[in-house]
Amino acid sequence: MAEPVSTFLGMSYAAWAATAIAASAAMSYSASRNNAKNMKNAYRWQKKRREEKRLADEIKAKKMIILADENKRVKMMASGIEAGTGSSLIRISENFKKGDELIELIRLGAEMDMEDMGYMLQGSLGKEMYNRRVGIAQGAGQSLLTYGTFPR
């Protein structure tokens, strides 16, 4: 076999180009892994923020329930009805049931949001994994094409 016309440090330029392409593919793989890690960290942060928002919404709802109950009691006392007896007790009980339903809706909404975020993360990680594998295959193929033949 004839000696390559162009060499640098004992290797042909084609071999150097193939090595550079392989190194580029390896760097792309590393960047893809870092991107996946960043997506997971962002998901954890979003999940934490959503949990904090859920807790804040629950506290706000409980305060509204207590305030509504206090307002009803004040109105009953002003009208001369004894609070906590008869129909007033039923109204207070209904108020707390509605509040419990509101809190349950807040919790369900938060769970649904977190499930949606999880599905989005899974889709993004799947896409990232696909791109990573395609990048490796393209880098290997391009290296072999650049070098000219399979190394023996």
Side-chain angles (χ1 to χ4, degrees), residues 4 11 22 24 27 30 33 46 49 55 60 63 68-69 81 85 89 101 108 113 117 132 137 144 147 150:
M11 285 177 58
S24 174
M27 289 173 55
S30 176
R33 287 185 56 132
Q46 286 177 338
R49 292 288 301 154
L55 290 172
K60 195 183 305 181
K63 285 182 180 179
D69 179 55
I81 300 173
T85 60
L89 182 60
E101 290 172 4
L108 287 173
D113 286 350
M117 288 188 298
R132 187 181 311 162
L144 291 174
Y147 191 69
F150 291 94

Side-chain angles (χ1 to χ4, degrees), residues 15-138:
W16 281 108
T19 304
I21 291 170
S24 174
M27 289 173 55
S28 294
Y29 176 82
S30 176
S32 176
R33 287 185 56 132
N34 285 338
N35 194 19
K37 181 181 173 184
N38 290 340
M39 281 191 270
K40 289 177 184 177
N41 288 337
Y43 168 73
R44 285 188 205 108
W45 182 83
Q46 286 177 338
K47 188 175 178 180
K48 181 180 176 186
R49 292 288 301 154
R50 184 60 182 106
E51 183 64 20
E52 289 171 355
K53 184 182 180 321
R54 180 191 65 82
L55 290 172
D57 289 346
E58 280 186 29
I59 290 169
K60 195 183 305 181
K62 288 177 183 178
K63 285 182 180 179
M64 286 175 29
I65 293 165
I66 292 170
L67 183 62
D69 179 55
E70 288 174 356
N71 287 339
K72 283 186 180 184
R73 287 178 188 260
V74 167
K75 288 178 183 176
M76 282 185 246
M77 293 172 89
S79 66
I81 300 173
E82 186 178 331
T85 60
S87 63
S88 67
L89 182 60
I90 293 171
R91 287 186 184 159
I92 292 170
S93 176
E94 287 175 359
N95 188 35
F96 281 106
K97 283 182 187 176
K98 288 179 185 176
D100 289 341
E101 290 172 4
L102 175 64
I103 290 171
E104 187 61 29
L105 287 174
I106 290 170
R107 287 182 183 152
L108 287 173
E111 287 176 16
M112 290 172 62
D113 286 350
M114 285 189 237
E115 283 180 13
D116 289 347
M117 288 188 298
Y119 293 138
M120 289 183 352
L121 174 68
Q122 287 175 352
S124 297
L125 289 176
K127 180 182 175 197
E128 193 66 32
M129 180 66 77
Y130 172 79
N131 289 342
R132 187 181 311 162
R133 288 178 181 162
V134 167
I136 291 171
Q138 285 177 338

